């Protein structure tokens, strides 16, 4: 269970407030989880502070979140009509049902049928190997995570920054294997109590292992900033190291 050791190490390097969050699609429930029903965006905050949340079709209290996580089908009939009216006339996040349709069509589809449980845990306590490691962090910490991911591959992330928070932070990286950075959707950010400088970085676990291997080699981790002698001979100092 190396992810438990990784949690303390990456938290210390980045100076995180709270824990990285392990997110796992599981066929079985965790041994213990917080009681009650939970909204996905609020469950992130609870998991960061130490709770294990088991989201199922029954325990997810947000119908949209259940759909975007692949735990329940999209509403049909009157439910679909109510959803569209809410998004256009209530939340006012889309100017028309056509724009809403376009946004859904152009985004990755939810992982329907993958598993019955979406388990969110503080990573140092996670019972299951993560599918995705989620960070609630500030822009500087996000920059360091993206740089550490890019260090060994040079492959830029393909970000998907539209749609619901749960789609951006969970479904998209699960379905595509891509690292994602999310500013969150405005309604969930406003209602759930996130700080103004907080955003989300989601890293599929197979990529997160590369992040950990980069910590001692990259200046976004623990490596020391140095100016090579070849640059010194040219009379250049290079960019100033981060203070």
């Amino acid at each position: 269970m190396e992810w438990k050791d990784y949690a303390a190490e990456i938290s210390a390097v980045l100076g995180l407030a709270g824990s990285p969050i392990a997110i796992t699609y599981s066929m079985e429930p965790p041994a213990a989880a917080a009681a009650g029903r939970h909204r996905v965006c609020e469950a992130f905050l609870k998991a960061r502070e130490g709770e294990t949340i088991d989201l199922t079709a029954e325990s997810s209290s947000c119908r949209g979140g259940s759909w975007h996580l692949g735990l329940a089908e999209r509403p049909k009939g009157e439910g679909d009509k109510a959803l569209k009216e809410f998004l256009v006339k209530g939340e006012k996040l889309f100017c028309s049902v056509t724009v809403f349709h376009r946004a859904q069509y152009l985004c990755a589809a939810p992982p329907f049928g993958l598993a019955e449980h979406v388990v969110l845990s503080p990573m140092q306590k996670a019972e299951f190997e993560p599918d995705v490691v989620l960070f609630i962090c500030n822009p500087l910490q996000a920059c360091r995570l993206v740089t550490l991911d890019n260090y060994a591959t040079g492959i830029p992330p393909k970000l998907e920054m539209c749609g619901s928070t749960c789609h951006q932070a969970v479904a998209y990286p699960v379905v595509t294997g891509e690292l994602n950075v999310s500013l969150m959707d405005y309604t969930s950010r406003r209602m759930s109590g996130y700080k103004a400088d907080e955003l989300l970085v989601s890293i599929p676990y197979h990529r997160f292992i590369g992040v950990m291997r980069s910590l001692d080699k990259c200046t976004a981790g623990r490596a020391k900033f140095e100016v090579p002698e070849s640059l010194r001979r040219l009379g250049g100092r290079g960019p100033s190291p981060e203070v």
Side-chain angles (χ1 to χ4, degrees):
M1 296 186 179
E2 74 277 1
W3 58 86
K4 295 185 178 182
D5 296 328
Y6 289 161
E9 188 174 7
I10 194 69
S11 294
V13 170
L14 297 180
L16 294 175
S19 174
I21 302 161
I23 301 176
T24 306
Y25 277 73
S26 174
M27 301 298 291
E28 302 294 334
R37 304 182 74 217
H38 311 273
R39 295 176 61 87
V40 184
C41 46
E42 294 170 350
F44 295 156
L45 294 170
K46 293 176 181 178
R48 177 177 68 171
E49 298 307 318
E51 295 186 51
T52 294
I53 308 295
D54 180 19
L55 292 173
T56 65
E58 292 74 32
S59 66
S60 171
S61 62
C62 174
R63 295 180 67 184
S66 298
W67 163 35
H68 288 295
L69 292 184
L71 294 171
E73 294 289 337
R74 175 174 166 171
K76 298 178 181 178
E78 288 300 313
D80 181 60
K81 180 180 178 181
L83 170 65
K84 292 172 180 175
E85 289 184 347
F86 174 65
L87 291 169
V88 175
K89 298 179 180 179
E91 281 189 303
K92 298 182 176 70
L93 296 182
F94 300 97
C95 71
S96 69
V97 294
T98 300
V99 170
F100 167 61
H101 176 80
R102 182 183 303 133
Q104 298 307 302
Y105 179 80
L106 295 175
C107 289
F112 293 124
L114 178 55
E116 295 181 354
H117 302 265
V118 181
V119 182
L120 286 70
S121 310
M123 193 161 68
Q124 68 270 20
K125 294 168 53 177
E127 178 180 348
F128 305 122
E129 180 175 306
D131 291 316
V132 170
V133 181
L134 173 68
F135 294 85
I136 303 173
C137 58
N138 62 40
L140 175 59
Q141 292 162 337
C143 174
R144 296 178 72 181
L145 286 166
V146 172
T147 304
L148 286 164
D149 174 76
N150 188 249
Y151 173 79
T153 67
I155 302 172
K158 298 176 182 178
L159 304 182
E160 187 156 290
M161 301 181 72
C162 63
S164 69
T165 297
C166 44
H167 166 77
Q168 296 177 53
V170 182
Y172 175 71
V174 163
V175 169
T176 65
E178 294 287 348
L179 176 151
N180 205 32
V181 178
S182 171
L183 303 180
M184 310 179 64
D185 75 67
Y186 182 63
T187 299
S188 64
R189 171 180 283 281
R190 180 172 55 87
M191 292 180 61
S192 301
Y194 287 85
K195 296 179 181 178
D197 66 344
E198 289 181 326
L199 50 77
L200 308 179
V201 176
S202 303
I203 308 178
Y205 188 63
H206 69 278
R207 295 180 66 146
F208 181 70
I209 293 172
V211 167
M212 297 303 299
R213 290 173 177 168
S214 298
L215 281 181
D216 289 327
K217 303 174 183 178
C218 177
T219 54
R222 289 185 288 239
K224 180 182 177 181
F225 180 93
E226 300 178 79
V227 179
E229 181 59 33
S230 58
L231 185 59
R232 293 180 185 276
R233 288 198 300 269
L234 294 173
R237 298 180 49 137
S240 299
E242 179 185 333
V243 177

